[in-house]
Amino acid sequence: MKPRTIVIAGSIAQKPGEAGHTWVFLQYLLGFARLGWDVLLLDRLEPAMCRDGSGRPCAAEASEGFAYLLATLKQFDLDTKFAVICDDGRRCLGPDYQTILDRVKNAELLLNFNGFLPEGEIRAAAKRRVYVDIDPGFAQMWKETGLHDAFAGHDDFVTIGLNIGRSDCPIPTCGLNWVTTVQPIVLQYWPVRAPMPGGPITAIGAWRGPNAPVDFRGKRYGLRVHEFRKFADLPLRTGKKFSFALDIDPSETADIDLLQRGGWTLIPPRPAAVNPDAYQRFIAESAGEFMVAKNMYVQSLCGWISDRSICYLASGRPVVAQDTGIEKYFPAGKGLLLFSNLQEAIDRIREMEADYAGQARQARRLAEEVFCSQRVLPELLGKLNL
């Protein structure tokens, strides 16, 4: 029998050199393929996004983003499993427009990550349009306050905010039935790495990111910057090596000085994430991860866990993570050590150091038992009645 198709709408070509973001979509593409599904990645490049390696405007097919997409997918034998929608939405790279339309019509599901694929003929052609929320809180609050409705035109709604819909989580459901899931990891591509007890504890990410804080029902829900400042002197307080591959605007001199005075070694994010292999090396050369969440996730206790953290766990790297309401879902202190304030962060770092080999083993075990794509994706399909 011909395998059934799942279409995944997400941005790889738009974000060349951001391999952490790339891996989010690779986990789904590779994971569903391992389960026997035919997969198709739908990406898009509008003219304003198309730049060559020198930053000059160019056609989509000559852009740095398209070259990055091709190289990435070829590495994983997915280079026949994509289409890039260009210009006015009717010119495509990869299959032609009509072929894409036919494949979407015949697919069982269109998984539209954060509403990446806008309203139009291709999205309308899908049998079932599933909104996949990987940035919980923002889109729900935008809709509730009338700023933007990302959910219109979708049939099902999936979120990695494990607490959305619970009475103790202030993120509104917007009257929608939310299916919760953790993000998957394809362990075949994430082998255990030799322990690095002498390596730095690392972090990687954007200081602010694309979204502004959201004011909702008398509270302001902010960004990573608003949480990370609380932990700026953690390296000095612990005497450990900490490195941060930080995407921060050079004009933010006060925050850069704050982190450096606190003992953080700041490194450019691009070398650590220029391609999927570099991202894996960065994690492998770390002793573990120190993960600070966006203030949105912390204040709302939405039950978010970072896709980066899952990659650390799979590599056998313990994760010291800020609690976002996930404690009830995972074994406490076994590879994933949670904190809510500076003193708890210090204590968790010491706890990790006290039994580093054991914590490294438990980190991998957690990835195998909870986040493995062979477990997560079938459960997700079951929740969607497939």
Side-chain angles (χ1 to χ4, degrees), residues 213-243:
V214 180
D215 294 315
F216 183 70
R217 294 178 182 170
K219 283 189 177 181
R220 171 157 288 193
Y221 294 86
L223 312 175
R224 182 171 291 109
V225 53
H226 303 119
E227 290 297 318
F228 216 110
R229 288 170 179 152
K230 302 172 186 177
F231 306 99
D233 64 348
L234 182 65
L236 288 180
R237 295 285 298 272
T238 61
K240 304 300 179 184
K241 294 184 290 186
F242 285 77
S243 294

Coordinates of all heavy atoms in Angstrom, one line a residue, residues 213-243:
P213 N 6.4 41.6 24.9 CA 5.6 41.2 26.0 C 4.1 41.4 25.8 O 3.8 42.3 25.0 CB 6.2 42.1 27.2 CG 7.5 42.5 26.7 CD 7.5 42.6 25.2
V214 N 3.3 40.7 26.5 CA 1.9 40.8 26.3 C 1.2 41.2 27.7 O 1.5 40.6 28.7 CB 1.3 39.4 25.9 CG1 -0.2 39.5 25.7 CG2 1.9 38.9 24.6
D215 N 0.4 42.2 27.6 CA -0.4 42.6 28.8 C -1.7 41.9 28.7 O -2.5 42.1 27.8 CB -0.6 44.1 28.8 CG 0.7 44.9 29.0 OD1 1.5 44.4 29.9 OD2 1.0 45.8 28.3
F216 N -2.0 41.1 29.8 CA -3.2 40.3 29.8 C -3.8 40.2 31.2 O -3.1 39.8 32.1 CB -2.9 38.9 29.2 CG -4.1 38.0 29.1 CD1 -5.1 38.2 28.2 CD2 -4.2 36.9 30.0 CE1 -6.2 37.4 28.1 CE2 -5.3 36.1 29.9 CZ -6.3 36.3 28.9
R217 N -5.0 40.7 31.3 CA -5.8 40.6 32.6 C -4.9 41.2 33.8 O -4.8 40.5 34.8 CB -6.2 39.2 32.9 CG -7.3 38.8 31.9 CD -7.7 37.3 32.1 NE -8.7 36.9 31.0 CZ -9.1 35.7 30.9 NH1 -8.7 34.7 31.6 NH2 -10.0 35.4 29.9
G218 N -4.3 42.3 33.6 CA -3.6 43.0 34.6 C -2.2 42.6 34.9 O -1.6 43.1 35.8
K219 N -1.7 41.6 34.1 CA -0.3 41.2 34.2 C 0.4 41.4 32.9 O -0.1 41.3 31.8 CB -0.2 39.7 34.6 CG -0.5 39.5 36.1 CD -0.2 38.0 36.4 CE -0.4 37.7 37.9 NZ -0.1 36.3 38.2
R220 N 1.7 41.6 33.0 CA 2.6 41.6 31.8 C 3.4 40.3 31.8 O 4.1 39.9 32.7 CB 3.6 42.8 31.9 CG 4.6 42.7 30.8 CD 5.2 44.1 30.5 NE 4.2 44.9 29.8 CZ 4.5 46.1 29.1 NH1 5.7 46.5 29.1 NH2 3.6 46.7 28.5
Y221 N 3.2 39.6 30.6 CA 3.9 38.4 30.4 C 5.1 38.6 29.4 O 4.9 39.0 28.3 CB 3.0 37.3 29.8 CG 1.9 36.9 30.8 CD1 0.7 37.7 30.9 CD2 2.1 35.8 31.6 CE1 -0.3 37.3 31.8 CE2 1.1 35.4 32.5 CZ -0.1 36.2 32.6 OH -1.1 35.8 33.6
G222 N 6.3 38.4 29.9 CA 7.5 38.9 29.2 C 8.3 37.8 28.5 O 7.8 36.7 28.2
L223 N 9.6 38.1 28.4 CA 10.5 37.3 27.5 C 11.6 36.7 28.4 O 11.6 36.8 29.6 CB 11.1 38.2 26.4 CG 10.0 39.1 25.7 CD1 10.7 40.0 24.7 CD2 9.0 38.3 25.0
R224 N 12.5 36.0 27.7 CA 13.6 35.4 28.4 C 14.5 36.4 29.2 O 14.9 36.1 30.3 CB 14.5 34.6 27.4 CG 15.6 33.8 28.1 CD 16.3 32.8 27.2 NE 15.4 31.7 26.8 CZ 14.9 31.6 25.7 NH1 15.1 32.4 24.7 NH2 14.1 30.5 25.4
V225 N 14.7 37.5 28.6 CA 15.5 38.6 29.2 C 15.0 38.9 30.6 O 15.8 39.1 31.5 CB 15.6 39.8 28.3 CG1 14.2 40.3 27.9 CG2 16.3 41.0 29.0
H226 N 13.7 38.9 30.8 CA 13.1 39.3 32.0 C 13.3 38.3 33.1 O 13.1 38.6 34.3 CB 11.6 39.6 31.8 CG 11.4 40.7 30.8 ND1 10.6 40.4 29.6 CD2 11.8 41.9 30.7 CE1 10.6 41.5 28.9 NE2 11.3 42.4 29.5
E227 N 13.6 37.0 32.7 CA 13.9 36.0 33.7 C 15.4 35.9 33.9 O 15.9 35.7 35.0 CB 13.3 34.7 33.3 CG 11.8 34.6 33.4 CD 11.3 34.7 34.8 OE1 11.9 34.1 35.7 OE2 10.3 35.5 35.0
F228 N 16.2 35.9 32.8 CA 17.6 35.6 32.9 C 18.4 36.6 33.8 O 19.4 36.2 34.4 CB 18.2 35.6 31.5 CG 19.3 34.5 31.3 CD1 19.0 33.4 30.5 CD2 20.5 34.6 32.0 CE1 20.0 32.4 30.4 CE2 21.5 33.6 31.8 CZ 21.2 32.5 31.0
R229 N 17.9 37.8 33.8 CA 18.6 38.8 34.6 C 18.7 38.4 36.1 O 19.6 38.7 36.8 CB 17.9 40.2 34.5 CG 18.1 40.9 33.2 CD 17.2 42.1 33.1 NE 17.4 42.8 31.9 CZ 16.4 43.5 31.3 NH1 15.2 43.6 31.9 NH2 16.6 44.2 30.2
K230 N 17.7 37.6 36.5 CA 17.7 37.1 37.9 C 18.8 36.2 38.2 O 19.2 35.9 39.4 CB 16.3 36.4 38.2 CG 15.1 37.3 38.0 CD 13.9 36.4 38.1 CE 12.6 37.2 37.7 NZ 11.4 36.4 37.8
F231 N 19.4 35.6 37.2 CA 20.4 34.5 37.4 C 21.8 35.0 36.8 O 22.6 34.1 36.5 CB 19.9 33.2 36.7 CG 18.6 32.8 37.2 CD1 17.5 33.1 36.4 CD2 18.4 32.2 38.4 CE1 16.2 32.7 36.8 CE2 17.2 31.8 38.8 CZ 16.0 32.1 38.1
A232 N 21.9 36.3 36.6 CA 23.1 36.8 36.0 C 24.4 36.4 36.7 O 25.5 36.2 36.1 CB 23.1 38.3 35.8
D233 N 24.4 36.3 38.0 CA 25.6 36.1 38.8 C 25.8 34.6 39.2 O 26.6 34.3 40.1 CB 25.8 37.0 40.0 CG 24.7 36.8 41.0 OD1 23.7 36.1 40.7 OD2 24.9 37.4 42.1
L234 N 25.0 33.7 38.5 CA 25.1 32.3 38.9 C 26.5 31.7 38.7 O 27.0 31.0 39.6 CB 24.1 31.5 38.0 CG 24.0 30.0 38.3 CD1 23.5 29.7 39.7 CD2 23.1 29.3 37.3
P235 N 27.2 32.0 37.7 CA 28.6 31.5 37.6 C 29.5 31.9 38.8 O 30.2 31.1 39.3 CB 29.1 32.1 36.3 CG 27.9 32.3 35.4 CD 26.9 32.7 36.4
L236 N 29.4 33.2 39.2 CA 30.2 33.6 40.3 C 29.8 32.9 41.6 O 30.6 32.6 42.5 CB 30.0 35.1 40.5 CG 30.7 36.0 39.5 CD1 30.5 37.5 39.8 CD2 32.2 35.7 39.4
R237 N 28.5 32.7 41.7 CA 27.9 32.1 43.0 C 28.3 30.6 43.1 O 28.3 30.0 44.2 CB 26.4 32.2 43.0 CG 26.0 33.7 43.1 CD 26.1 34.3 44.5 NE 25.4 33.5 45.5 CZ 24.1 33.8 45.8 NH1 23.5 34.8 45.2 NH2 23.4 33.1 46.7
T238 N 28.5 29.9 41.9 CA 28.8 28.5 41.9 C 30.3 28.2 41.7 O 30.7 27.1 42.0 CB 28.0 27.8 40.9 OG1 28.3 28.3 39.6 CG2 26.5 27.9 41.1
G239 N 31.0 29.1 41.1 CA 32.4 28.9 40.7 C 32.6 27.9 39.5 O 33.7 27.4 39.3
K240 N 31.5 27.7 38.8 CA 31.6 26.8 37.6 C 31.7 27.6 36.3 O 31.4 28.8 36.3 CB 30.3 26.0 37.6 CG 30.0 25.2 38.8 CD 31.2 24.2 39.1 CE 30.9 23.4 40.4 NZ 32.1 22.5 40.7
K241 N 32.1 26.9 35.3 CA 32.2 27.5 33.9 C 30.8 27.5 33.2 O 30.2 26.5 33.1 CB 33.2 26.8 33.1 CG 34.6 26.9 33.6 CD 35.6 26.2 32.6 CE 35.4 24.7 32.6 NZ 36.4 24.0 31.8
F242 N 30.4 28.7 32.8 CA 29.1 28.8 32.1 C 29.4 29.6 30.8 O 30.0 30.6 30.8 CB 28.1 29.6 32.9 CG 27.5 28.9 34.1 CD1 28.2 28.7 35.2 CD2 26.2 28.3 34.0 CE1 27.6 28.0 36.3 CE2 25.6 27.7 35.0 CZ 26.4 27.5 36.2
S243 N 28.8 29.0 29.7 CA 28.9 29.7 28.4 C 27.5 29.8 27.8 O 26.7 28.9 27.9 CB 29.8 28.8 27.4 OG 31.1 28.8 27.8

